[in-house]
Every structure is written in structure tokens, then in C-alpha cells.
Amino acid sequence: MFRRRSDDAAASATVLEKQDETTQARDPQARKGRPTPKRSEAEANRRNRVTAVPKDRKEAARQGRERMRVEREKQRQALMNGDERHLPARDKGPVRKFARDYVDSRWSLAEFFLPAAVVILVLSIVKVPTLQMLSTLLFLLFFVFVILDFVRLGFGLRKQLAERFAGQNTRGAVAYGIMRTLQMRRLRLPKPQVRRGEKP
């Protein structure tokens, strides 16, 4: 009996010695990476984590909708005033901004496409063969001139992008600018930041 207890004591002593060796193996001057928080700080952090988590799915959905609403409002304001921080991904960056300014500083036939299409549609409805034939001819001519204007604008924009942003990724910027010309100037988003005739 006494021998077994002495054996147990000896074994526990060897375990304690090994633990002391492993704890002393670490440099006492080495930092553990972060300071130990106080008890009050740890409890406060725990309470904050508990309160930050929504209690039910309805509350979580409500908070998600609120965050989306705030983000949409920031994007809307950015589209109105040109704030780069909150613009949608397709409108961000200096390349896209230059493409917008290049288009907004010039007149283009494509921005009058919708008004012209309405006029041509009205002429085609009138029960006068001459006006109907004239509306068809006007539509074809206007369409051809818009295509030529697209080509002119695309070549000019591509050249300017190659000069100003040499070595940078300008993929999609020309198509982005051409699509912008299809909108009337006052309806374009983001709002134009340059006047007509002004250099971008």
C-alpha cells in the first residue's frame, strides 16, 4: 500500500517536472500576442456580442433590409453627385469616369434617338401614304447616321483612352461610353460632371 502511494507521488512529481520544463522552454520575454483583458472588459465584450446578434429571424431580416436601404441611398446620392466611394461597381474608377466625361462633353445623335423615334412613330400612324413613306425613310436615315456617330465616337474614345491610360485595363470602357450616348443628357446616371465643349 505504502509503496503504491510512493510510486504515485513519484509519477506525479515527474509529470510536474516535465510541465515546468515545457513552460520554461518559452522565452519569458516573448509576448503572447495580446494583453490579457480585464474581467469587466471581457464581460462587456460578451454582452455586446450577445446583444449584437438578432434574437429572431424577423429581426435579422429587418436589419438586413435596413442595411440594404442605407446602401441604396448612398448609391443614389453618389449617382447624383458623382461620389466615387459609393458608385456601383460598373461606374467606378478613373477609366469609367473619363469615358463618361468624354461622352458628356460632346453632342451626339444617339441621345435624340428616343424623341426622333416618337416623331417617326406618329408619322407612321397617320393614314397618309406619303407621310408613312417619309417616316420610314427618316427612320432609316437617322439609324444610319446614329451608327456612323457611334463609330466616330468609339474611335475617338478608344484613342484617348490609349493615350491617357496606357498599360491599364480599359476593357469595356468604349462600349460603356457608347451606351451612355443612348440616354438623354439630363437623364444620364451618374449625372454629367462636365459641360458640353469642355475638355474631360
Side-chain angles (χ1 to χ4, degrees):
M1 269 170 56
F2 295 107
R3 185 179 300 169
R4 183 175 295 174
R5 286 183 181 174
S6 61
D7 291 342
D8 292 342
S12 63
T14 55
V15 169
L16 288 174
E17 288 176 1
K18 289 181 180 179
Q19 288 179 350
D20 290 340
E21 290 175 2
T22 56
T23 55
Q24 289 179 359
R26 188 174 72 87
D27 185 6
Q29 299 295 325
R31 302 176 65 182
K32 65 177 181 178
R34 59 181 177 79
T36 303
K38 295 181 181 178
R39 180 184 216 112
S40 58
E41 293 176 355
E43 290 178 355
N45 289 335
R46 196 178 304 115
R47 281 196 298 269
N48 288 338
R49 285 198 299 269
V50 170
T51 55
V53 177
K55 296 180 180 179
D56 56 3
R57 293 174 62 182
K58 288 184 179 179
E59 181 66 18
R62 188 190 67 78
Q63 290 183 7
R65 287 194 300 270
E66 182 65 20
R67 284 194 297 269
M68 291 296 293
R69 187 190 66 79
V70 171
E71 288 298 322
R72 283 196 299 268
E73 180 61 23
K74 286 181 180 178
Q75 280 194 3
R76 190 185 70 81
Q77 292 292 336
L79 289 172
M80 299 301 289
N81 56 31
D83 186 2
E84 284 280 334
R85 295 172 300 172
H86 302 294
L87 283 175
R90 66 181 178 86
D91 298 312
K92 279 186 177 179
V95 174
R96 296 299 173 99
K97 184 180 186 309
F98 178 79
R100 290 196 302 271
D101 292 344
Y102 184 88
V103 169
D104 295 336
S105 64
R106 286 162 172 74
W107 291 93
S108 62
L109 282 174
E111 64 183 292
F112 303 107
F113 182 78
L114 287 178
V118 171
V119 173
I120 291 170
L121 180 63
V122 170
L123 290 176
S124 65
I125 294 174
V126 177
K127 300 293 185 178
V128 179
T130 306
L131 290 178
Q132 290 178 345
M133 187 180 297
L134 180 63
S135 67
T136 304
L137 182 61
L138 284 175
F139 179 78
L140 291 174
L141 285 174
F142 192 77
F143 188 75
V144 169
F145 282 126
V146 166
I147 295 297
L148 292 175
D149 195 38
F150 279 165
V151 173
R152 176 189 63 84
L153 183 75
F155 276 120
L157 180 56
R158 191 183 302 276
K159 181 180 178 182
Q160 289 292 321
L161 288 171
E163 291 177 0
R164 294 193 177 219
F165 303 98
Q168 298 186 35
N169 183 16
T170 59
R171 184 177 180 181
V174 175
Y176 174 78
I178 289 175
M179 291 301 295
R180 188 171 173 84
T181 62
L182 288 171
Q183 302 168 334
M184 297 178 68
R185 182 182 170 88
R186 66 179 63 184
L187 300 178
R188 291 174 183 170
L189 291 175
K191 289 289 185 183
Q193 302 293 314
V194 296
R195 298 178 179 177
R196 293 193 194 271
E198 185 179 346
K199 287 187 178 181

